[in-house]
Amino acid sequence: MSILVIAEHDNVQLKGATHNVVAAATKIGGDIHVLVAGANARAVADHAAKLAGVSKVLLAESPALADALAENVAEQVLALAPGYSHILFAATASGKNVAPRVAARLDVAQISEIQAVDAADTFQRAIYAGNAVATVQSTDATKVITVRTTGFDAVAESGGAAVEVVAAAAGAGLSTFVSREVAKSDRPELAGAKVVVSGGRGMGSAENFKILDPLADKLGAALGASRAAVDAGYAPNDWQVGQTGKIVAPQLYVAIGISGAIQHLAGMKDSKVIVAVNKDAEAPIFGVADYGLVADLFQAVPELVTTL
């Protein structure tokens, strides 16, 4: 039984999500290979080779793979698929873009966002916004799986796998890269941050959201938001935490002015420590919070910053 993990990267750095997907692969058991598909990505392959449990890294490089177009990456995965019983992707925007294309072409049912492994063919995944867990079993010869990274602790970088260069598949010719606008920030990336400070509709406006900046600076935190805050225009879309946003599980999650709708809880309730500030003592967020403060956030947050 061989497992192919699709690495996430930007041709320069290996994304942290890959560490968690390799952890899921080790739970399945078998020979673990990591595919690095890109251009001028040797440094990424060398990094992937250090991941514990990985026996081989496959490096496929071509101009068609440089910008990680889903159609072209899918062609590369499909070229290698016959040799593997499991193909694993991170359940990120990139993984969710490629995995369904691979599953459809292989004519198998994708298993989405697994959070635990019971056996090589049996997995657990959250349903109903995390209120229930479904155990699913697949009889497909090739299992195409996306992994909820918060469900698995990242593997260490203690390995020394070999890097093998493989032939790059021809591009699908279905799409072309035009441009990319990358949001630049000095803060940690939301999905992998160890500390997250999130604001909700209780913030009242985009201008008021700025009072979270000093708190995030003190804690070295990424900034997040509830869907209600994003929909109201208080925060950008890429800050959204929740069922339809990013799934996070930091060491510390600070929820400011967030009521705790079930969709938001689905995206952060696995955080190690949850702190909530809300003036409504009956807010659902207090049901999952380790520490709760019933107070006016506009008074509490500056006081908290001062104390820190």
Side-chain angles (χ1 to χ4, degrees), residues 220-308:
L223 282 171
S226 67
R227 177 171 179 171
V230 171
D231 287 349
Y234 302 166
N237 187 67
D238 59 349
W239 287 13
Q240 185 176 320
V241 173
Q243 185 179 15
T244 53
K246 291 183 171 68
I247 308 295
V248 301
Q251 297 295 317
L252 173 63
Y253 188 88
V254 184
I256 308 292
I258 295 176
S259 63
I262 188 172
Q263 291 85 355
H264 185 75
L265 299 184
M268 45 65 71
K269 66 181 182 182
D270 290 331
S271 303
K272 303 300 183 288
V273 176
I274 300 172
V275 175
V277 178
N278 198 297
K279 65 181 180 182
D280 179 9
E282 302 300 319
I285 191 70
F286 290 125
V288 299
D290 298 285
Y291 300 93
L293 176 62
V294 179
D296 182 339
L297 67 90
F298 297 105
Q299 179 180 351
V301 172
E303 288 180 357
L304 184 56
V305 172
T306 300
T307 302
L308 288 170

Side-chain angles (χ1 to χ4, degrees), residues 54-80:
V54 174
S55 60
K56 184 189 294 184
V57 175
L58 306 178
L59 175 61
E61 296 187 289
S62 80
L65 297 170
D67 298 299
L69 294 174
E71 294 84 358
N72 294 351
V73 175
E75 290 296 330
Q76 184 64 56
V77 175
L78 288 164
L80 299 170

Side-chain angles (χ1 to χ4, degrees), residues 79-306:
L80 299 170
Y84 296 94
S85 58
H86 298 71
I87 302 175
L88 271 59
F89 300 79
T92 58
S94 176
K96 291 177 182 179
N97 202 8
V98 181
R101 302 171 193 274
V102 173
R105 292 277 296 279
L106 293 175
D107 194 23
V108 299
Q110 177 179 309
I111 306 169
S112 301
E113 299 205 31
I114 67 166
Q115 61 186 34
V117 176
D118 289 348
D121 63 351
T122 308
F123 313 91
Q124 293 181 25
R125 58 183 302 269
I127 58 174
Y128 303 131
N131 280 307
V133 175
T135 300
V136 294
Q137 186 175 37
S138 171
T139 57
D140 289 324
T142 303
K143 296 163 182 57
V144 177
I145 300 168
T146 62
V147 176
R148 179 172 287 193
T149 56
T150 57
F152 301 89
D153 291 333
V155 296
E157 295 184 7
S158 58
V163 177
E164 178 183 322
V165 176
V166 297
L174 297 173
S175 59
T176 55
F177 178 77
V178 177
S179 65
R180 175 180 289 119
E181 293 183 17
V182 180
K184 295 183 179 180
S185 174
D186 293 332
R187 301 192 188 284
E189 184 182 2
L190 177 58
K194 293 183 178 180
V195 182
V196 174
V197 174
S198 283
R201 184 160 42 193
M203 299 302 301
S205 70
E207 186 67 26
N208 289 340
F209 239 86
K210 294 178 181 178
I211 74 168
L212 299 182
D213 288 344
L215 180 59
D217 291 341
K218 288 283 188 182
L219 297 173
L223 282 171
S226 67
R227 177 171 179 171
V230 171
D231 287 349
Y234 302 166
N237 187 67
D238 59 349
W239 287 13
Q240 185 176 320
V241 173
Q243 185 179 15
T244 53
K246 291 183 171 68
I247 308 295
V248 301
Q251 297 295 317
L252 173 63
Y253 188 88
V254 184
I256 308 292
I258 295 176
S259 63
I262 188 172
Q263 291 85 355
H264 185 75
L265 299 184
M268 45 65 71
K269 66 181 182 182
D270 290 331
S271 303
K272 303 300 183 288
V273 176
I274 300 172
V275 175
V277 178
N278 198 297
K279 65 181 180 182
D280 179 9
E282 302 300 319
I285 191 70
F286 290 125
V288 299
D290 298 285
Y291 300 93
L293 176 62
V294 179
D296 182 339
L297 67 90
F298 297 105
Q299 179 180 351
V301 172
E303 288 180 357
L304 184 56
V305 172
T306 300

Side-chain angles (χ1 to χ4, degrees), residues 32-53:
I32 301 172
H33 296 174
V34 174
L35 170 64
V36 175
N40 300 316
R42 179 71 194 208
V44 177
D46 290 340
H47 189 176
K50 297 177 182 178
L51 301 184

